Amino acid sequence: AGEQQFRKTLNNMVAGVQVHDYNWRYIYVNDALAKFTNATKEQLMGATLMDIFPGVEETEAFKAMERVMHNRVKEQLETTFTFPDGRTCDFQLSIQPVPEGIFILSVDITERKQAQKESAKSHENYRSMMERISDAFVAIDTQWKYVYLNKAAGIITNRAPEDLTGKNVWEEFPDARGQQVYAAFHESLHTQQPVYLEEYYPSTGVWLEYNIYPSPEGITVFFSNINKRKRAEQQLVQSERNLKAIFDNT
């Protein structure tokens, strides 16, 4: 009764289960495994792995099975498998030695892998977009470590983005602790509200404009050199003063 219950449990699993003897013949398969292979249990039982999948000996999965068969040590791996009908699926395999040969648990992770690929593609598109914008852009986590910097941010900070990634903002730029930007970053993260700031840096003669956007994961900051705009504003103010002086003297 116990063995029957165990077989029933294996057969009802969503993961594929197969057992091969030392001659690579199927001596047990569950329904999920048969569904994966698009074959019936009757077609699989007694056939060899090579009968069902010609050329399987060249795959990484088979090489792992061979190692387990010979060394009697469990292995796990993720692999992409192409079926004879042209279907390609991703599997997580757990291969274990058993007295009869080897036991293989196959979990279909195709959807997960596809989601990871789409996420990676989306992330790469995002990074590409961030590199193309003219403003400097940085992402900073809640521990004040740089998560990402684009090339424009590297130019303004005069540091290579890859050298700053993973490092603490205030340790890399300790002088910033005494500037308005320090308070602005903390305010935005603490209040979870956007903060706008313009700040002048006398040591470099540069005006920077900051747009700071918070999230539970940290802050993202767009910043740019606004010297040209500030000079234009100063020239406008001076022109207005000159005009006022002319009118006052007439």
Side-chain angles (χ1 to χ4, degrees):
E3 182 179 344
Q4 288 180 343
Q5 183 61 40
F6 178 62
R7 281 179 171 268
K8 184 178 179 181
T9 300
L10 288 180
N11 210 44
N12 290 333
M13 290 176 64
V14 294
V17 176
Q18 55 190 301
V19 179
H20 294 277
D21 66 14
Y22 289 92
N23 294 314
W24 299 104
R25 294 189 182 280
Y26 288 94
I27 58 175
Y28 176 79
V29 295
N30 71 348
D31 289 341
L33 194 282
K35 185 178 179 181
F36 288 159
T37 59
N38 268 353
T40 64
K41 287 184 177 181
E42 291 72 24
Q43 290 172 321
L44 294 173
M45 291 295 289
T48 68
L49 192 61
M50 297 76 166
D51 292 335
I52 303 299
F53 302 112
V56 71
E57 302 96 320
E58 303 302 317
T59 66
E60 289 300 317
F62 184 81
K63 291 172 184 175
M65 294 177 201
E66 275 193 315
R67 289 193 296 271
V68 176
M69 189 75 86
H70 295 151
N71 301 332
R72 316 307 291 163
V73 177
K74 175 182 176 180
E75 287 199 27
Q76 290 184 314
L77 74 153
E78 291 185 0
T79 186
T80 301
F81 192 81
T82 302
F83 290 93
D85 61 8
R87 287 178 301 124
T88 298
C89 294
D90 293 297
F91 290 100
Q92 183 180 65
L93 303 181
S94 176
I95 312 167
Q96 303 182 43
V98 292
E100 296 82 2
I102 58 171
F103 171 100
I104 306 170
L105 183 70
S106 307
V107 179
D108 187 344
I109 57 171
T110 305
E111 290 186 3
R112 190 188 84 192
K113 283 291 185 179
Q114 186 59 38
Q116 288 175 346
K117 290 176 184 176
E118 290 175 0
S119 176
K121 182 178 179 181
S122 175
H123 181 65
E124 186 56 38
N125 289 341
Y126 173 77
R127 289 176 67 92
S128 177
M129 178 181 67
M130 289 298 102
E131 290 299 336
R132 289 197 300 269
I133 65 174
S134 58
D135 278 6
F137 171 82
V138 298
I140 300 168
D141 68 16
T142 56
Q143 301 302 310
W144 302 109
K145 292 181 179 180
Y146 287 106
V147 176
Y148 176 76
L149 306 88
N150 68 356
K151 291 179 181 177
I155 292 171
I156 288 182
T157 60
N158 198 30
R159 297 282 297 276
E162 58 271 22
D163 291 342
L164 288 175
T165 303
K167 294 181 179 177
N168 185 282
V169 178
W170 315 122
E171 290 176 2
E172 296 303 308
F173 300 100
D175 291 346
R177 291 178 181 271
Q179 295 165 338
Q180 296 178 59
V181 68
Y182 181 84
F185 280 15
H186 281 79
E187 177 188 346
S188 184
L189 184 62
H190 177 69
T191 64
Q192 287 292 293
Q193 294 294 320
V195 172
Y196 176 81
L197 171 70
E198 293 181 6
E199 185 163 24
Y200 180 66
Y201 297 87
S203 61
T204 57
V206 172
W207 276 95
L208 290 181
E209 174 187 65
Y210 297 91
N211 283 282
I212 309 161
Y213 302 97
S215 76
E217 290 74 36
I219 58 172
T220 55
V221 186
F222 292 87
F223 57 105
S224 59
N225 183 317
I226 56 171
N227 278 12
K228 288 184 179 179
R229 195 186 81 198
K230 284 295 182 180
R231 280 197 296 269
E233 289 175 355
Q234 290 169 357
Q235 290 171 358
L236 179 61
V237 170
Q238 188 60 48
S239 295
E240 290 175 346
R241 286 174 179 169
N242 292 341
L243 284 173
K244 185 175 184 300
I246 291 171
F247 283 114
D248 287 346
N249 293 327
T250 57

